[in-house]
Amino acid sequence: MQRRQGRVSTGLLLLLYQISQVGLQNIPSVTLGVLVLNIFLFLSPAKPLSEACLSVREGFYGRDWQRLLLSPFHHADDWHLYYNMISMLWKGIGLERKLKSTWFAYVIAVFSVLVGVVYMVLEFMLVKVLDDPSYERNCAVGFSGVLFALKVLNNHYNPGRVSNVLGLPIPSKYACWVELVAIHLISPG
């Protein structure tokens, strides 16, 4: 896993432009804090990606539990950061206003750790079911899992809505799946 560190690039500039269009005053505090933390750790990583990513081998067998906290807030490249943080911006604004800041901060913290635990359990199951130890080495970074969980929560609080995904109106209950596929097609890996 390699990343262009400390470099202001197109995805980051576009993200900053989008945030400026919304206006800092219109972004609730926890959502803004998550955006700032992710941008800061992209520009100045706490650890290299190879030491922040979460895998069964490093996280579980290696007992490197700090990866549960680091992996959601590190991104592979500027486009990975851009897509995740744009999604966070829109989901965060709506959910934080609905849940209020303290509860939303709690939800973000719980989802951040829980997504990592679920990821390791699923990878561990793949090792056992497929008898393929290579799944122990799959190393993940990024906020996508947390965003997926937020999307499910958003759908719970706002049933029957239509979301806009890459300019296409999609029923919200399917939008998280369409977003997931779109992001992987646009930014594979």
Side-chain angles (χ1 to χ4, degrees):
M1 270 189 180
Q2 296 271 325
R3 161 187 30 196
R4 294 173 280 182
Q5 294 181 9
R7 192 169 165 229
V8 177
S9 48
T10 308
L12 182 57
L13 289 174
L14 189 55
L15 173 60
L16 295 173
Y17 172 76
Q18 294 284 338
I19 290 169
S20 74
Q21 290 300 299
V22 172
L24 293 178
Q25 72 280 3
N26 296 320
I27 303 171
S29 60
V30 174
T31 300
L32 183 59
V34 170
L35 294 170
V36 167
L37 177 63
N38 277 274
I39 292 168
F40 175 78
L41 288 174
F42 178 76
L43 292 172
S44 206
K47 290 194 171 197
L49 280 181
S50 61
E51 296 174 27
C53 66
L54 185 62
S55 69
V56 172
R57 177 177 281 170
E58 300 298 331
F60 182 73
Y61 292 128
R63 305 278 188 245
D64 191 353
W65 301 115
Q66 68 179 339
R67 289 173 185 255
L68 282 171
L69 301 175
L70 292 175
S71 65
F73 301 100
H74 285 72
H75 290 82
D77 58 41
D78 60 318
W79 289 108
H80 185 208
L81 176 73
Y82 170 76
Y83 291 120
N84 278 349
M85 291 305 100
I86 286 300
S87 184
M88 175 60 198
L89 178 64
W90 297 116
K91 288 173 183 66
I93 288 172
L95 279 172
E96 187 170 350
R97 287 181 179 153
K98 184 147 201 103
L99 300 175
K100 306 300 179 221
S101 295
T102 303
W103 186 247
F104 187 64
Y106 173 76
V107 166
I108 292 289
V110 168
F111 282 174
S112 294
V113 173
L114 191 56
V115 162
V117 170
V118 169
Y119 172 77
M120 283 197 301
V121 167
L122 291 173
E123 291 290 327
F124 184 78
M125 288 172 48
L126 284 171
V127 168
K128 298 301 180 195
V129 170
L130 300 177
D131 193 27
D132 184 352
S134 70
Y135 287 101
E136 290 177 351
R137 294 185 301 276
N138 285 350
C139 221
V141 292
F143 213 66
S144 301
V146 176
L147 293 169
F148 195 87
L150 289 176
K151 186 69 158 175
V152 171
L153 191 62
N154 193 39
N155 289 342
H156 170 76
Y157 284 111
N158 302 297
R161 287 185 46 188
V162 174
S163 295
N164 186 338
V165 179
L166 299 175
L168 301 171
I170 306 287
S172 289
K173 64 182 178 180
Y174 303 118
C176 53
W177 297 103
V178 174
E179 276 182 22
L180 189 63
V181 170
I183 287 168
H184 285 286
L185 291 174
I186 293 167
S187 184

